[in-house]
């Protein structure tokens, strides 16, 4: 697995790497879509900081059988690059997920997914600032998908009335985009699994003081199936599985192109929200979905 993190997948070539990268980005996007529904379902049951703290504890335990050995073997490399890893952890693990859970208290899962789709625009700006040429087709696809997202957030119009939860989600989008941009600077010699478990453990440590304060002020949460089920989902699937898939996708196709695939998130969240939470959908949402899908198809197919 460590070797796979450093080298192209055997026998694939440029087209194979592009296809694999898009599929991995899609996998992460679909799994994360479910996490917004799970987060919304935990609102009022598990305090946000406590939910995020246990999310990373569960994630670290889930990946430990696969990642602990690699992390131990690369402990000297991890210590050498601890500053970079800590910065990536702060944006991608600690801040991003805390902001998402905070937003889930006061906004719908559909809005959460739609607003998070602002992050690919920020990813593309980071990529351009880093000297990456985006290309006309990719920019066109990004703009088309962004227009669809704006219409989706505005419920079919371009007039917006953002609440507190929506603003928390915009902050989360910026944090996630920054994390994705930082991934391009990950030292190639650090294995993907070693990087993953290190960020999970560091993320839990960063949250520990806030967790202690939350326990003191808010008290703990009742351990029920309604609380534990979503926590297991966000800990195992949305953290261990999705973060590994996303990190690998960014290494194969770059944050900007992976970000185009990420535009599918509001479509997935809206569908799951309808099925699991009863959040409504209608003709305007279907039109926005078509625009987003068209933009993703155009942008992700564009050549580097």
């Amino acid at each position: 697995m460590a070797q796979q993190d450093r080298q192209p997948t055997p026998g694939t070539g440029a087209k194979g790497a592009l296809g694999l990268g898009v599929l991995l980005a899609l996998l992460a996007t679909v799994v994360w879509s479910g996490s917004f529904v799970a987060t919304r379902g935990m609102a009022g049951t598990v305090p946000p900081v406590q939910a995020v703290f246990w999310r990373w504890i569960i994630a670290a335990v889930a990946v430990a059988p696969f990642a602990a050995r690699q992390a131990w073997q690369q402990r000297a490399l991890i210590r050498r690059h601890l500053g970079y890893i800590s910065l990536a952890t702060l944006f991608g693990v600690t801040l991003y997920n805390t902001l998402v859970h905070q937003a889930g208290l006061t906004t719908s899962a559909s809005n959460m997914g739609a607003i998070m789709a602002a992050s690919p625009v920020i990813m593309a700006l980071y990529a351009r600032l880093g000297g990456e040429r985006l290309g006309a087709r990719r920019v066109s696809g990004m703009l088309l998908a962004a227009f669809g997202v704006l219409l989706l957030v505005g419920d079919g119009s371009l007039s917006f009335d953002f609440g507190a939860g929506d603003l928390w989600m915009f902050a989360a989008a910026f944090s996630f985009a920054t994390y994705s941009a930082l991934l391009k600077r990950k030292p190639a010699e650090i294995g993907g699994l070693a990087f993953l478990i290190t960020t999970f453990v560091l993320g839990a440590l960063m949250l520990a003081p806030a967790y202690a304060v939350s326990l003191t002020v808010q008290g703990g949460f009742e351990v029920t199936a309604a609380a534990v089920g979503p926590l297991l989902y966000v800990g195992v699937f949305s953290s261990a599985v999705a973060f590994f898939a996303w990190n690998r996708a960014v290494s194969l196709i770059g944050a900007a192109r992976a970000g185009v695939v990420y535009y599918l998130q509001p479509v997935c969240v809206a569908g799951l929200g309808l099925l699991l939470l009863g959040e409504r959908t209608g003709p305007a949402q279907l039109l926005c979905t078509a625009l987003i899908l068209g933009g993703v198809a155009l942008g992700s197919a564009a050549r580097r």
Side-chain angles (χ1 to χ4, degrees), residues 52-53 55-57 59-60 63 67 71 78 81-95 97 179 182-183 186 190-207 239-240 243-244 247:
V52 180
F53 176 80
R55 170 180 183 155
W56 299 119
I57 294 295
V63 301
I78 291 170
H81 299 286
L82 191 59
Y84 160 78
I85 296 173
S86 298
L87 187 63
T89 299
L90 177 65
F91 282 103
V93 174
T94 307
L95 285 178
N97 290 279
Y179 168 75
L182 285 169
L183 286 179
K186 184 180 84 68
I190 298 180
L193 289 172
F195 178 79
L196 206 64
I197 193 171
T198 303
T199 58
F200 292 171
V201 172
L202 281 177
L205 290 174
M206 288 179 181
L207 284 163
S239 300
F243 267 81
F244 180 80
N247 293 358

Coordinates of all heavy atoms in Angstrom, one line a residue, residues 52-53 55-57 59-60 63 67 71 78 81-95 97 179 182-183 186 190-207 239-240 243-244 247:
V52 N -17.3 15.2 16.9 CA -16.1 15.2 16.0 C -14.9 14.4 16.8 O -14.1 13.7 16.1 CB -15.6 16.6 15.7 CG1 -14.4 16.6 14.8 CG2 -16.8 17.3 14.9
F53 N -14.8 14.6 18.1 CA -13.7 14.0 18.8 C -13.9 12.4 18.7 O -12.9 11.7 18.4 CB -13.8 14.4 20.3 CG -12.8 13.7 21.2 CD1 -11.5 14.1 21.2 CD2 -13.2 12.6 22.0 CE1 -10.6 13.4 22.0 CE2 -12.3 11.9 22.8 CZ -11.0 12.3 22.8
R55 N -15.5 10.8 16.5 CA -15.3 10.5 15.0 C -13.9 10.1 14.8 O -13.6 9.1 14.1 CB -15.7 11.6 14.2 CG -15.4 11.5 12.7 CD -15.8 12.6 11.9 NE -15.6 12.4 10.5 CZ -16.2 13.0 9.5 NH1 -17.2 13.9 9.7 NH2 -15.9 12.8 8.2
W56 N -12.9 10.9 15.3 CA -11.5 10.6 14.9 C -11.0 9.5 15.8 O -10.1 8.8 15.4 CB -10.7 11.9 15.1 CG -11.2 12.9 14.1 CD1 -11.7 14.1 14.4 CD2 -11.3 12.7 12.7 NE1 -12.1 14.8 13.2 CE2 -11.9 13.9 12.2 CE3 -10.9 11.7 11.8 CZ2 -12.1 14.1 10.8 CZ3 -11.2 11.9 10.4 CH2 -11.7 13.1 10.0
I57 N -11.5 9.3 17.0 CA -11.1 8.1 17.8 C -11.5 6.9 17.0 O -10.7 5.9 16.9 CB -11.7 8.2 19.2 CG1 -11.2 9.4 20.0 CG2 -11.5 6.9 19.9 CD1 -9.7 9.3 20.3
A59 N -12.2 6.6 13.9 CA -11.4 6.5 12.6 C -10.0 5.9 12.8 O -9.6 5.1 12.1 CB -11.4 7.8 11.9
A60 N -9.4 6.4 13.9 CA -8.0 5.9 14.2 C -8.0 4.4 14.5 O -7.1 3.7 14.0 CB -7.4 6.7 15.3
V63 N -8.5 2.3 11.2 CA -7.4 2.2 10.2 C -6.2 1.6 10.9 O -5.2 1.2 10.2 CB -7.1 3.6 9.6 CG1 -8.3 4.1 8.8 CG2 -6.5 4.6 10.6
A67 N -2.7 0.6 9.2 CA -1.8 1.8 9.0 C -0.8 1.9 10.2 O 0.2 2.5 10.0 CB -2.7 3.0 9.1
A71 N 3.0 3.6 9.9 CA 3.3 4.8 10.6 C 4.5 4.6 11.6 O 5.3 5.5 11.7 CB 2.0 5.2 11.4
I78 N 7.7 11.2 9.8 CA 6.6 11.9 10.4 C 7.0 13.0 11.3 O 6.5 14.2 11.3 CB 5.6 10.9 11.1 CG1 5.0 10.0 10.1 CG2 4.6 11.7 11.9 CD1 4.2 8.8 10.7
H81 N 8.4 16.0 9.3 CA 7.4 16.8 8.6 C 6.2 17.1 9.5 O 5.1 17.3 9.0 CB 6.9 16.1 7.3 CG 8.0 15.8 6.3 ND1 8.6 16.8 5.6 CD2 8.7 14.7 6.0 CE1 9.5 16.3 4.8 NE2 9.6 15.0 5.0
L82 N 6.4 17.1 10.8 CA 5.3 17.2 11.7 C 4.6 18.6 11.6 O 3.4 18.7 11.8 CB 5.8 17.0 13.2 CG 4.7 16.9 14.2 CD1 3.7 15.7 13.9 CD2 5.3 16.8 15.6
G83 N 5.3 19.6 11.3 CA 4.7 20.9 11.1 C 3.7 20.9 9.9 O 2.6 21.4 10.1
Y84 N 4.1 20.4 8.8 CA 3.2 20.3 7.7 C 2.0 19.4 8.0 O 0.8 19.8 7.7 CB 3.9 19.7 6.4 CG 3.0 19.1 5.4 CD1 2.3 20.0 4.5 CD2 2.7 17.8 5.3 CE1 1.4 19.5 3.6 CE2 1.8 17.3 4.4 CZ 1.2 18.1 3.6 OH 0.3 17.6 2.6
I85 N 2.2 18.2 8.6 CA 1.1 17.3 8.9 C 0.2 18.0 9.9 O -1.1 17.8 9.8 CB 1.7 16.0 9.5 CG1 2.5 15.3 8.4 CG2 0.5 15.1 9.9 CD1 3.3 14.0 8.9
S86 N 0.7 18.7 10.8 CA -0.2 19.4 11.8 C -1.1 20.4 11.2 O -2.2 20.6 11.5 CB 0.7 20.0 12.9 OG 1.4 19.1 13.6
L87 N -0.5 21.2 10.2 CA -1.3 22.2 9.5 C -2.4 21.5 8.6 O -3.5 22.0 8.6 CB -0.3 23.0 8.6 CG -1.0 24.2 7.9 CD1 -1.4 25.2 8.9 CD2 0.0 24.9 6.9
A88 N -2.0 20.4 7.9 CA -3.1 19.7 7.2 C -4.1 19.2 8.1 O -5.3 19.2 7.8 CB -2.4 18.6 6.4
T89 N -3.7 18.7 9.2 CA -4.7 18.1 10.2 C -5.6 19.2 10.7 O -6.8 19.0 10.8 CB -4.0 17.5 11.4 OG1 -3.1 16.4 11.0 CG2 -4.9 17.0 12.5
L90 N -5.1 20.4 11.0 CA -5.9 21.5 11.5 C -7.0 21.9 10.6 O -8.2 22.0 11.0 CB -5.0 22.7 11.8 CG -5.7 24.0 12.2 CD1 -6.3 23.8 13.6 CD2 -4.7 25.2 12.2
F91 N -6.7 22.0 9.3 CA -7.7 22.4 8.3 C -8.6 21.2 7.9 O -9.8 21.4 7.8 CB -7.0 23.0 7.1 CG -6.6 24.4 7.2 CD1 -5.2 24.7 7.5 CD2 -7.5 25.4 7.2 CE1 -4.8 26.0 7.6 CE2 -7.1 26.8 7.4 CZ -5.7 27.0 7.6
G92 N -8.0 20.0 7.7 CA -8.8 18.9 7.1 C -9.5 18.1 8.1 O -10.6 17.4 7.8
V93 N -9.0 18.0 9.3 CA -9.6 17.1 10.3 C -10.2 17.9 11.5 O -11.4 17.7 11.7 CB -8.5 16.2 10.9 CG1 -9.0 15.3 12.1 CG2 -7.9 15.3 9.8
T94 N -9.5 18.8 12.1 CA -10.0 19.5 13.3 C -11.1 20.5 12.9 O -12.2 20.4 13.3 CB -8.9 20.1 14.1 OG1 -7.9 19.1 14.3 CG2 -9.4 20.7 15.4
L95 N -10.7 21.5 12.1 CA -11.6 22.6 11.9 C -12.7 22.2 11.0 O -13.9 22.5 11.2 CB -10.8 23.8 11.2 CG -9.9 24.6 12.1 CD1 -9.2 25.7 11.3 CD2 -10.7 25.3 13.2
N97 N -14.3 19.4 10.1 CA -15.4 18.6 10.6 C -16.1 19.2 11.8 O -17.3 19.0 12.0 CB -14.8 17.2 11.0 CG -14.5 16.4 9.8 OD1 -15.3 15.8 9.1 ND2 -13.2 16.5 9.4
Y179 N -7.2 22.3 2.9 CA -6.7 21.0 3.2 C -6.3 20.3 1.8 O -5.3 19.7 1.7 CB -7.7 20.1 4.0 CG -7.4 18.7 4.0 CD1 -6.3 18.2 4.9 CD2 -8.1 17.7 3.3 CE1 -6.0 16.8 4.9 CE2 -7.8 16.4 3.4 CZ -6.8 15.9 4.2 OH -6.5 14.6 4.2
L182 N -3.3 21.6 0.4 CA -2.1 21.2 1.1 C -1.7 19.8 0.8 O -0.5 19.4 0.9 CB -2.4 21.3 2.6 CG -2.4 22.7 3.2 CD1 -2.9 22.7 4.7 CD2 -1.0 23.3 3.2
L183 N -2.6 19.0 0.4 CA -2.3 17.6 0.0 C -1.3 17.5 -1.1 O -0.5 16.5 -1.2 CB -3.6 16.8 -0.4 CG -4.5 16.4 0.7 CD1 -5.8 15.7 0.1 CD2 -3.9 15.5 1.8
K186 N 2.2 17.1 0.1 CA 2.5 16.0 1.0 C 3.8 15.3 0.5 O 3.9 15.0 -0.7 CB 1.4 15.0 1.0 CG 1.7 13.8 2.0 CD 0.5 12.8 2.0 CE 0.7 11.8 0.9 NZ 1.8 10.9 1.1
I190 N 6.1 9.8 2.5 CA 5.2 9.4 3.6 C 4.1 8.6 3.0 O 3.4 9.1 2.1 CB 4.7 10.6 4.3 CG1 5.9 11.4 5.0 CG2 3.7 10.2 5.4 CD1 5.4 12.6 5.8
G191 N 3.9 7.4 3.4 CA 2.8 6.5 2.9 C 1.4 7.1 3.2 O 1.2 7.8 4.2
G192 N 0.5 6.8 2.3 CA -0.9 7.3 2.5 C -1.5 6.9 3.8 O -2.2 7.7 4.5
L193 N -1.4 5.6 4.2 CA -2.0 5.1 5.4 C -1.3 5.7 6.7 O -1.9 6.1 7.7 CB -1.9 3.6 5.5 CG -2.8 2.9 4.5 CD1 -2.5 1.4 4.5 CD2 -4.3 3.1 4.9
A194 N 0.0 5.9 6.6 CA 0.8 6.5 7.7 C 0.3 8.0 7.9 O 0.1 8.4 9.0 CB 2.3 6.5 7.5
F195 N 0.2 8.7 6.8 CA -0.3 10.0 6.9 C -1.7 10.1 7.4 O -2.0 10.9 8.3 CB -0.3 10.6 5.4 CG -0.8 12.0 5.3 CD1 0.0 13.1 5.7 CD2 -2.1 12.3 4.9 CE1 -0.5 14.4 5.6 CE2 -2.6 13.6 4.8 CZ -1.7 14.7 5.1
L196 N -2.6 9.2 7.0 CA -4.0 9.1 7.4 C -4.1 9.0 8.9 O -4.8 9.7 9.6 CB -4.7 8.0 6.7 CG -6.2 8.2 6.5 CD1 -6.5 9.4 5.6 CD2 -6.8 6.9 5.9
I197 N -3.5 7.9 9.5 CA -3.6 7.6 10.9 C -3.0 8.7 11.7 O -3.5 9.1 12.8 CB -3.1 6.2 11.3 CG1 -3.6 5.9 12.7 CG2 -1.6 6.2 11.2 CD1 -3.3 4.4 13.1
T198 N -1.9 9.3 11.2 CA -1.3 10.4 12.0 C -2.2 11.6 12.1 O -2.3 12.2 13.1 CB 0.0 10.8 11.3 OG1 0.9 9.7 11.2 CG2 0.7 11.9 12.1
T199 N -2.9 12.0 11.0 CA -3.8 13.1 11.0 C -5.0 12.8 11.9 O -5.5 13.7 12.6 CB -4.3 13.5 9.6 OG1 -4.9 12.4 9.0 CG2 -3.1 13.9 8.7
F200 N -5.4 11.6 11.9 CA -6.6 11.2 12.8 C -6.2 11.4 14.3 O -7.0 11.9 15.1 CB -7.0 9.8 12.5 CG -7.7 9.6 11.2 CD1 -8.0 8.3 10.7 CD2 -8.0 10.6 10.4 CE1 -8.6 8.1 9.5 CE2 -8.6 10.4 9.1 CZ -8.9 9.1 8.7
V201 N -5.0 10.8 14.6 CA -4.6 10.9 16.0 C -4.3 12.4 16.4 O -4.8 12.8 17.5 CB -3.3 10.0 16.3 CG1 -2.8 10.3 17.7 CG2 -3.7 8.6 16.1
L202 N -3.6 13.1 15.6 CA -3.4 14.5 15.9 C -4.7 15.3 16.0 O -4.8 16.2 16.8 CB -2.5 15.1 14.8 CG -1.0 14.9 14.8 CD1 -0.3 15.5 13.6 CD2 -0.4 15.4 16.1
G203 N -5.6 15.0 15.1 CA -6.9 15.7 15.1 C -7.6 15.5 16.5 O -8.2 16.4 17.0
A204 N -7.6 14.2 17.0 CA -8.3 14.0 18.2 C -7.5 14.7 19.4 O -8.2 15.2 20.3 CB -8.3 12.4 18.5
L205 N -6.2 14.7 19.3 CA -5.4 15.4 20.3 C -5.7 16.9 20.3 O -5.9 17.6 21.4 CB -3.9 15.2 20.1 CG -3.5 13.8 20.4 CD1 -2.0 13.6 20.1 CD2 -3.6 13.4 21.9
M206 N -5.9 17.5 19.1 CA -6.2 18.9 19.0 C -7.6 19.3 19.6 O -7.8 20.3 20.1 CB -6.1 19.4 17.5 CG -4.7 19.5 17.0 SD -4.8 20.0 15.2 CE -3.0 19.9 14.8
L207 N -8.5 18.3 19.5 CA -9.8 18.5 19.9 C -10.0 18.2 21.4 O -11.0 18.6 22.0 CB -10.8 17.6 19.1 CG -11.1 18.1 17.7 CD1 -11.7 17.0 16.9 CD2 -12.1 19.3 17.8
S239 N -14.6 8.9 7.4 CA -13.2 9.3 7.8 C -12.2 8.4 7.2 O -11.4 8.7 6.3 CB -13.1 9.3 9.3 OG -14.0 10.3 9.9
A240 N -12.2 7.1 7.6 CA -11.2 6.2 7.2 C -11.2 5.9 5.7 O -10.2 6.0 5.0 CB -11.3 4.8 8.0
F243 N -11.5 9.6 3.4 CA -10.3 10.4 3.4 C -9.2 9.7 2.6 O -8.4 10.4 1.9 CB -9.9 10.8 4.8 CG -10.4 12.1 5.3 CD1 -11.7 12.2 5.8 CD2 -9.6 13.2 5.3 CE1 -12.2 13.4 6.2 CE2 -10.1 14.5 5.7 CZ -11.4 14.5 6.2
F244 N -9.1 8.4 2.8 CA -8.0 7.7 2.0 C -8.3 7.8 0.5 O -7.4 8.1 -0.3 CB -8.0 6.2 2.4 CG -6.9 5.5 1.7 CD1 -5.6 5.5 2.0 CD2 -7.2 4.7 0.6 CE1 -4.6 4.8 1.3 CE2 -6.3 4.0 -0.2 CZ -5.0 4.1 0.2
N247 N -7.6 11.5 -0.6 CA -6.2 11.8 -0.7 C -5.5 11.2 -1.9 O -4.6 11.8 -2.5 CB -5.5 11.3 0.6 CG -6.0 12.1 1.8 OD1 -6.7 13.1 1.7 ND2 -5.5 11.8 3.0

